[in-house]
C-alpha cells in the first residue's frame, strides 16, 4: 500500500486511546467488546463515467478488524471488483486494499449507527492495455445490526475519492461480522453503598464443613462426611455360619444348638433377601445308601426348626444330604466321627452403612 495508507494506520492506533467515557451515557445498552473480529462482504461499486467502465460493478471481499472500545474499531480489507468496459466489453480486473476507521454512536436497541473514514489502493488491470494503480480516500456511514452476542450485519454507503484521478465514485456494502468475544451490556454507575459486615459462616453440626456449603445439616458427630457435609455411605459384606452336630445314628437336633440356630434365623430376618442351603453329613460307619438317607434327614431336621420354631419361610431354606462324602475330620477316631456327624450352612449378603469417624 502507499505511504498515505500507513498514515491511516496511525489514525487507527490513535482511536485506540479514545475515551470510553461515553459508555457512562449508554447505561443499559449492549455494545461491542474490545477484541478482534473477521468479516466477509459483498456490494456494488458505481464507477465514474470518465473511466468508461460499466456502472454498478459487483464487489466482494473479506477483512480483519479490531474493536478498540465501544466507540472505535478499525478494519483492514482485501476486495475484488469484476467489471467490463462500456466500450468493447473488455474485461477489467479490480483489486482493492483498504483500511477503514469506524466511530460508533449510541446504540438503539440492536442497531448501532456509525460513520467511517478510510484510505486505500485500487489496482485496475484491464485484459488489454496498461494497469492503473491509484490511491483513494473514502468517507461514509451506515448501521450495524447485532444478530447475537458475536454475529452482526453491517450496511454502509460511502463516497470514494481517487487522489490520482481526481474523481469521486460511490459504493455500498453489506458485511457479515463475527467477533471473537461477546457483546456486553453497559452497567449503570452506582455509588458505593456501605454494607454491614457479614458474619463468617459457622459449622453448627461440627462435621468440618461450613454451614454455607453444608447440604446435610445436623449430621451426627460420629459419622464421616464428604465435601458437601453429607454422611459417606459404604457397602460391606456380612455373613454368618451354622454348625450343628448329631449323636451317632441320630437326626434329632440337640437343645444346645438352639441358640445358634436362633441367631442365624435372626440374621435372615434382618436381611430378608437372603436364603441358604442346609448341608447334612454323616461319619463313615454304615453303608453309603444308609448314610445318604441319614444326612438328608439331619438337614431336614434343622430346616424344620428354622421354619416351625423361628418362623423362616421354607422357600428360603434348601436341605440337601451328602452322606459320608465330605468329611472334615478323620473317621478313624471317635472325635473325628463326632465332628463329621453335622449339618452346616453359610449365609452371606451385603449391607449399607455410614462410615464412622
Amino acid at each position: 500500500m502507499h505511504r498515505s495508507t500507513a498514515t491511516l494506520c496511525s489514525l487507527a492506533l490513535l482511536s485506540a486511546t479514545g475515551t470510553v467515557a461515553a459508555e457512562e451515557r449508554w447505561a443499559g445498552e449492549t455494545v461491542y467488546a474490545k477484541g478482534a473480529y473477521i468479516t466477509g462482504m459483498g456490494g456494488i461499486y458505481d464507477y465514474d463515467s470518465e473511466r468508461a467502465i460499466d456502472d454498478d460493478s459487483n464487489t466482494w471481499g473479506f477483512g480483519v478488524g479490531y474493536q478498540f472500545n465501544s466507540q472505535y474499531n478499525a478494519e483492514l480489507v482485501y476486495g475484488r471488483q469484476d467489471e467490463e468496459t462500456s466500450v468493447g466489453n473488455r474485461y477489467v480486473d479490480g483489486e482493492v486494499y483498504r483500511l477503514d476507521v469506524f466511530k460508533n454512536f449510541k446504540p438503539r436497541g440492536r442497531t448501532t449507527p456509525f460513520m467511517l473514514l478510510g484510505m486505500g489502493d485500487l489496482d485496475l488491470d484491464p485484459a488489454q492495455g496498461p494497469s492503473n494503480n491509484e490511491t483513494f480516500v473514502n468517507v461514509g456511514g451506515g448501521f450495524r445490526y447485532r444478530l447475537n452476542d458475536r454475529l452482526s450485519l453491517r450496511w454502509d454507503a460511502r463516497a470514494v475519492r481517487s487522489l490520482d484521478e481526481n474523481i469521486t465514485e460511490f459504493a455500498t456494502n453489506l458485511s457479515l461480522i463475527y467477533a471473537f468475544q461477546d457483546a456486553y451490556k453497559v452497567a449503570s454507575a452506582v455509588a458505593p453503598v456501605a454494607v454491614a459486615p457479614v458474619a463468617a459462616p459457622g459449622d453448627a453440626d461440627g462435621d468440618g464443613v461450613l454451614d454455607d456449603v453444608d447440604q446435610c445439616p445436623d449430621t451426627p458427630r460420629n459419622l464421616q462426611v464428604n465435601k458437601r457435609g453429607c454422611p459417606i455411605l459404604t457397602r460391606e459384606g456380612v455373613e454368618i455360619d451354622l454348625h450343628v452336630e448329631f449323636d451317632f445314628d441320630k437326626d434329632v437336633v440337640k437343645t444346645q444348638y438352639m441358640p445358634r440356630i436362633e441367631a442365624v434365623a435372626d440374621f435372615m430376618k434382618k436381611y430378608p433377601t437372603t436364603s441358604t442351603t442346609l448341608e447334612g453329613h454323616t461319619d463313615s460307619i454304615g453303608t453309603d445308601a444308609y448314610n445318604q438317607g441319614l444326612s438328608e434327614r439331619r438337614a431336614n431336621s434343622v430346616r424344620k426348626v428354622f421354619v416351625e420354631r423361628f418362623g423362616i419361610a421354607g422357600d428360603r431354606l434348601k436341605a440337601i444330604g451328602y452322606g459320608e462324602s465330605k468329611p472334615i475330620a478323620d473317621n478313624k477316631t471317635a472325635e473325628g466321627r463326632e465332628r463329621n456327624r453335622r449339618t452346616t450352612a453359610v449365609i452371606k449378603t451385603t449391607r449399607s452403612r455410614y462410615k464412622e469417624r
Side-chain angles (χ1 to χ4, degrees), residues 288-305:
D288 289 347
Y290 182 82
N291 285 337
Q292 178 63 35
L294 179 59
S295 68
E296 293 174 0
R297 291 194 298 275
R298 286 173 174 171
N300 279 301
S301 294
V302 176
R303 181 179 184 276
K304 184 176 181 181
V305 173

Side-chain angles (χ1 to χ4, degrees), residues 239-242 256-271 274 305-306 310 312 347:
E239 65 177 65
I240 192 170
D241 59 23
L242 177 69
Q256 68 190 72
Y257 292 108
M258 292 300 174
R260 185 58 180 174
I261 296 175
E262 183 178 13
V264 174
D266 290 342
F267 182 90
M268 296 184 71
K269 291 176 182 178
K270 183 177 181 179
Y271 302 104
T274 57
V305 173
F306 273 108
F310 297 114
I312 302 300
I347 302 96

Side-chain angles (χ1 to χ4, degrees), residues 4 39 141 161 165 168 210 214 249 323 326 340:
S4 54
T39 179
R161 178 69 176 178
E165 300 296 330
T168 300
L210 296 179
D214 195 338
D249 198 25
K326 294 186 176 183
N340 288 335

Side-chain angles (χ1 to χ4, degrees), residues 306-336:
F306 273 108
V307 173
E308 295 182 359
R309 184 164 181 172
F310 297 114
I312 302 300
D315 59 1
R316 299 175 62 189
L317 300 162
K318 180 180 179 181
I320 187 170
Y322 289 98
E324 60 183 83
S325 63
K326 294 186 176 183
I328 60 172
D330 189 354
N331 276 310
K332 294 181 181 179
T333 67
E335 293 81 3

Side-chain angles (χ1 to χ4, degrees), residues 36-64:
Y37 64 86
I38 56 176
T39 179
M41 62 195 69
I44 297 174
Y45 194 95
D46 184 14
Y47 282 100
D48 189 273
S49 59
E50 292 184 10
R51 293 188 187 272
I53 297 177
D54 286 345
D55 292 343
D56 301 338
S57 296
N58 294 326
T59 66
W60 59 271
F62 58 88
V64 293

Side-chain angles (χ1 to χ4, degrees), residues 95-140:
E95 194 172 42
V96 175
Y97 296 92
R98 185 178 74 240
L99 177 65
D100 293 325
V101 177
F102 296 78
K103 176 176 173 58
N104 302 294
F105 299 100
K106 183 177 181 180
R108 300 294 187 269
R110 291 180 174 267
T111 302
T112 301
F114 64 85
M115 62 178 294
L116 66 90
L117 175 64
M119 179 176 285
D121 290 331
L122 172 63
D123 185 13
L124 295 176
D125 187 12
Q128 299 177 7
S131 62
N132 180 42
N133 183 272
E134 57 192 75
T135 300
F136 65 85
V137 294
N138 58 200
V139 63

Side-chain angles (χ1 to χ4, degrees), residues 55-102:
D55 292 343
D56 301 338
S57 296
N58 294 326
T59 66
W60 59 271
F62 58 88
V64 293
Y66 193 84
Q67 190 81 36
F68 296 108
N69 51 52
S70 60
Q71 293 180 267
Y72 291 98
N73 59 290
E75 191 172 287
L76 183 63
V77 174
Y78 170 78
R80 301 283 298 184
Q81 299 178 358
D82 301 320
E83 56 271 328
E84 295 179 347
T85 61
S86 58
V87 178
N89 293 328
R90 291 177 299 163
Y91 178 75
V92 179
D93 180 18
E95 194 172 42
V96 175
Y97 296 92
R98 185 178 74 240
L99 177 65
D100 293 325
V101 177
F102 296 78

